[in-house]
Amino acid sequence: MEQYAVKGGNPLVGEVEIGGAKNAALGILAAAIMTDDTCTIDNIPDVRDTNVMLQAIESIGSTVVRKDRHTCEISGKNIIDQTIDNDYIKKIRASYYLLGALLGKYKKARVSLPGGCNIGLRPIDQHIKGFKALGATVRIEHGMIVAEADKLTGAHIYLDVVSVGATINIMLASVMAEGTTIIENAAKEPHVVDVANFLNTMGGSIKGAGTDVIRIKGARSLHGTNYTIIPDQIEAGTFMFAAALTRGDVTVKNVIPKHLESISAKLSEIGCQVEESDDAVRVVATGQLNHTHVKTLPYPGFPTDMQPQITVALGLSKGTSIVTESIFENRFKYVDELTRMGASIKVEGNTAIIDGVNKYTGASISAPDLRAGAALVIAALAADGVTVIDDVRYIQRGYEDFHLKLQSLGGLIELVDSEKEIQKFRLKTG
Ligand code: EPZ
């Protein structure tokens, strides 16, 4: 089983290229099968979740041609089956986008109930509410969600909670419905906007994405297109916090600084210097970090997907900080692992009270999920001694070449898969 061996202490310094947004890619790859023409999609991150999505769309008959590591040509022309049921698709949350896409195109879909990171209850009632409002029947049968309709008709849908997944899924299901659909209390995340832009380049008519009211005028059909996925806001934010924790100087390149505003603001608050240019952000950290308080919120608030990364930084900051998780109720599981590295954090319900310590110390720990795993890696890069992190497959779900990018910034990190390799790493890094 692969692990990361990390020796802390080196400040990260240099430039790092950020890849395409995983959560936009997942919606866009599902949307691409909604036309019988070919869509060429670029800047797809080469990570487990996107590869699972590509396998899933191939498994029902779509053609996927990989032009290079980040570019695919996808055609949904030869889809023969609207049932997606295999072991791998159950592991990714975004399998639910295939429900919206297949329902929208073929008026029927059968998809295994979604899995994904175990970060709390993750209901999909709002997706189902949307499909039903458009005229579909939805039932659960043998572990699968089955959605069917004679026809889909535009509707006015108010989301009871701001949900990225439900907003994208309703856009997919309604983009070819008859008439106009209005989604109120829609999610405003950059990846929602990216999926809407993609559907619009396919001939869809979606207005208002990025605000909380989205209007979708049903198109008769969709056509092929060429599209480049936006940069990954969370990958960028993770490297920005890695710079802060290691007292480094890192420029994240190929980003949209506007998408990073809440992250940049918190880094400035804790004492980092943040410089923005057109498509890059530089984070310089010198001296002790300061405490702050933060609450996760839907975009443009501070992202829940950055909560573990800011918590590990505040764990090494002067004074007491409070982090409130308002999106997922079970997203502090990594705190036990961080405690093994010397952090002083008390979790009460959805709040973590953090007493900053002077240093973390290397330990053997496990990545409990994707973002928490990445946060533990950056904690390890700032710790005294060697940390060995298990379950790196979670991190590989969403970060392409994570250890290689960290190495290029001077981080001492290796992918290892035996005790012997860990010993070799210990000897090599002194
Ligand atoms: C997306 O998950 C992302 N996943 C998550 O990223 C991210 O943490 C989350 O949005 C919030 O930004 C993908 O895009 C594939 P939600 P999603 O629906 O769509 C509740 C990562 O690390 N809710 O916006 O599943 C839900 O329980 C992952 O990359 C309902 O109650 O999240 C949560 O409290 C992890 N009913 C809140 O809404 C529903 O029908 C927001 O969830 C749907 C959601």
Side-chain angles (χ1 to χ4, degrees), residues 377-415:
V377 169
I378 62 178
L381 287 164
D384 270 6
V386 172
T387 300
V388 177
I389 300 161
D390 279 347
D391 291 334
V392 300
R393 64 180 191 282
Y394 287 120
I395 301 171
Q396 292 163 341
R397 293 179 70 149
Y399 291 88
E400 180 180 307
D401 295 343
F402 195 42
H403 65 291
L404 300 179
K405 289 186 180 183
L406 290 167
Q407 276 173 12
S408 76
L409 295 170
L412 297 177
I413 174 168
E414 267 175 30
L415 194 61

Side-chain angles (χ1 to χ4, degrees), residues 339-353:
T339 304
R340 292 162 61 81
M341 298 176 71
S344 173
I345 303 179
K346 197 167 150 210
V347 176
E348 282 179 8
N350 68 343
T351 303
I353 302 147

Side-chain angles (χ1 to χ4, degrees), residues 22-23 26 93-94 96-97 117 119 121-127 161-166 189 191 304-305 327-328 331 370-371:
K22 171 193 73 119
N23 289 341
L26 292 167
R93 184 83 191 148
Y96 53 44
Y97 291 144
C117 279
I119 50 180
L121 273 180
R122 300 181 73 183
I124 56 161
D125 56 304
Q126 299 303 305
H127 305 230
V161 290
V162 179
S163 161
V164 170
E189 268 67 5
H191 36 291
T304 173
D305 291 348
I327 311 290
F328 293 110
R331 220 172 181 177
L370 164 60
R371 306 302 172 188

